[in-house]
Amino acid sequence: MKYSGIGGQAVLEGVMMKNKEKYAVAVRKPDGEITVDTKEYYGLIKNKTLRNIPILRGVLSFVESLTLGISTLTYSASFFEEDEEDTKAKKKELSKEAAAKKEKAEMGITVAFSFVLAIGIFMILPYYLSLIFRKFITSHVALALIEGVIRMMIFLAYIASISLMKDIQRVFMYHGAEHKCINCIEHGMELNVENVRKSSRLHKRCGTSFLLFVMIISIIFFAFIDVKSRILKVVLRLLLIPVIAGVSYEFIRLAGKSDNPVVNFLSKPGLWLQKLTTREPDDSMIEVGIASVEAVFDWKKYLSEM
């Protein structure tokens, strides 16, 4: 089986697919029409040599995925937040240049806020909660394990709670459509609704699996931090986050290319978690996923070369 190299994300009533520097966002508009917006994104660093350095490429991929994800989510949401007259009026008020600057500024603030919030909730909060156990446990390794368990519980509780929201459930259905489209191609089937419908909604090369491995690998890394200063412990945790993200990316990247039994076994927790973050899509959602794929990837050529 050949590795297609395409990846994607679910957005509001749509799917984003990316292949190399090209990405497309397909959205089912309120009137039922599918609109596809195709653009190029070269990332934070254009130098291919730097982008292929192990660990560093994972850090770049994480930040770029967050940036691109928020951008495409904002785009898809624009079809549902305001009517056409309001949109035209706003476009008249702002020049294209001013609108672009405003959008970039808002995007930067949103990405920064999202990153800081995630770090606070999933990295710093578990550490301080684990300090409660210092009265009974002196081993820093045991405390690091407890911290990791707390972090995992917060993460799973977050996933489980948002999965109960109706709007998020629809996003998860589009997430399922994204995975099913990629699986359909990678398993050598023609990309059509029928074939996509019978493909799996779980995929080893998924952001959900990546985040889970960040949680797991952080336990191992943080177990080696043995300093007395609490402030220094927090600082070291923050400094290690890029490394942890890079290592997690390398495993997900390997998992997407390998059918090794050990790799498949280690991938299972991420696949289990995807049962929460994906849902079976309906045919209209699959059509959106197919439109997104076809905008960035020549699947017919790919299948002919398998």
Side-chain angles (χ1 to χ4, degrees):
M1 185 191 305
K2 295 178 68 176
Y3 168 63
S4 66
I6 58 173
Q9 295 179 11
V11 296
L12 186 62
E13 295 299 325
V15 173
M16 184 276 285
M17 288 289 184
K18 188 173 185 296
N19 179 32
K20 298 180 180 179
E21 290 81 25
K22 191 176 182 182
Y23 75 93
V25 188
V27 178
R28 176 80 70 177
K29 296 195 296 185
D31 62 4
E33 178 190 354
I34 298 176
T35 181
V36 182
D37 183 46
T38 305
K39 293 181 179 179
E40 291 184 343
Y41 180 70
Y42 291 93
L44 301 175
I45 298 176
K46 295 182 180 180
N47 187 293
K48 291 185 178 181
T49 301
L50 292 176
R51 292 187 65 84
N52 286 326
I53 296 177
I55 307 300
L56 176 60
R57 62 189 174 193
V59 177
L60 292 174
S61 178
F62 172 70
V63 177
E64 290 168 0
S65 294
L66 180 62
T67 303
L68 194 58
I70 293 176
S71 175
T72 54
L73 185 61
T74 302
Y75 169 78
S76 65
S78 67
F79 292 99
F80 305 92
E81 290 178 345
E82 52 193 22
D83 58 38
E84 189 176 347
E85 293 300 323
D86 289 338
T87 302
K88 289 181 179 179
K90 288 190 176 183
K91 285 183 177 179
K92 288 180 180 179
E93 291 176 8
L94 293 172
S95 67
K96 289 184 179 180
E97 185 178 353
K101 289 181 178 179
K102 181 175 182 292
E103 184 179 350
K104 286 183 179 179
E106 291 176 347
M107 189 61 57
I109 293 171
T110 303
V111 171
F113 177 76
S114 301
F115 187 73
V116 171
L117 185 64
I119 294 300
I121 294 175
F122 297 113
M123 290 296 171
I124 298 178
L125 179 61
Y127 166 68
Y128 281 103
L129 289 177
S130 70
L131 294 179
I132 298 172
F133 297 89
R134 290 184 67 89
K135 297 178 182 179
F136 320 103
I137 301 172
T138 57
S139 170
H140 76 275
V141 174
L143 287 171
L145 181 60
I146 292 173
E147 177 189 345
V149 171
I150 294 173
R151 180 177 297 107
M152 193 72 71
M153 290 174 64
I154 293 174
F155 177 63
L156 294 176
Y158 169 76
I159 295 295
S161 60
I162 66 171
S163 67
L164 299 176
M165 302 168 61
K166 289 186 177 180
D167 288 343
I168 298 299
Q169 287 175 1
R170 287 193 63 80
V171 173
F172 285 175
M173 290 172 76
Y174 277 104
H175 189 193
E178 171 218 329
H179 283 188
K180 289 168 84 72
C181 284
I182 296 174
N183 277 322
C184 177
I185 296 171
E186 292 184 344
H187 285 81
M189 296 187 291
E190 290 190 7
L191 191 63
N192 56 51
V193 173
E194 183 179 352
N195 287 340
V196 172
R197 192 190 303 122
K198 59 188 179 184
S199 297
S200 173
R201 75 175 198 264
L202 309 180
H203 198 286
K204 291 188 290 184
R205 201 174 64 251
C206 173
T208 302
S209 297
F210 168 79
L211 292 176
L212 181 63
F213 272 96
V214 166
M215 301 295 158
I216 295 172
I217 293 174
S218 67
I219 299 175
I220 300 171
F221 275 71
F222 294 167
F224 290 94
I225 300 177
D226 187 17
V227 293
K228 292 183 179 181
S229 172
R230 291 182 181 178
I231 295 178
L232 184 56
K233 282 184 177 181
V234 172
V235 171
L236 290 174
R237 278 163 169 73
L238 296 177
L239 292 175
L240 282 172
I241 289 174
V243 181
I244 294 169
V247 173
S248 301
Y249 172 83
E250 293 301 325
F251 178 79
I252 296 299
R253 190 170 184 269
L254 172 64
K257 294 181 177 182
S258 173
D259 280 325
N260 182 282
V262 176
V263 174
N264 288 338
F265 175 77
L266 294 175
S267 299
K268 286 188 179 297
L271 295 175
W272 292 334
L273 186 58
Q274 286 176 43
K275 291 182 178 181
L276 280 179
T277 61
T278 64
R279 294 285 190 276
E280 285 295 334
D282 58 34
D283 287 356
S284 67
M285 294 174 174
I286 291 174
E287 290 171 353
V288 174
I290 291 174
S292 184
V293 172
E294 293 185 329
V296 297
F297 188 72
D298 188 349
W299 60 268
K300 293 180 180 179
K301 180 181 178 182
Y302 170 78
L303 293 184
S304 68
E305 295 174 349
M306 288 187 72

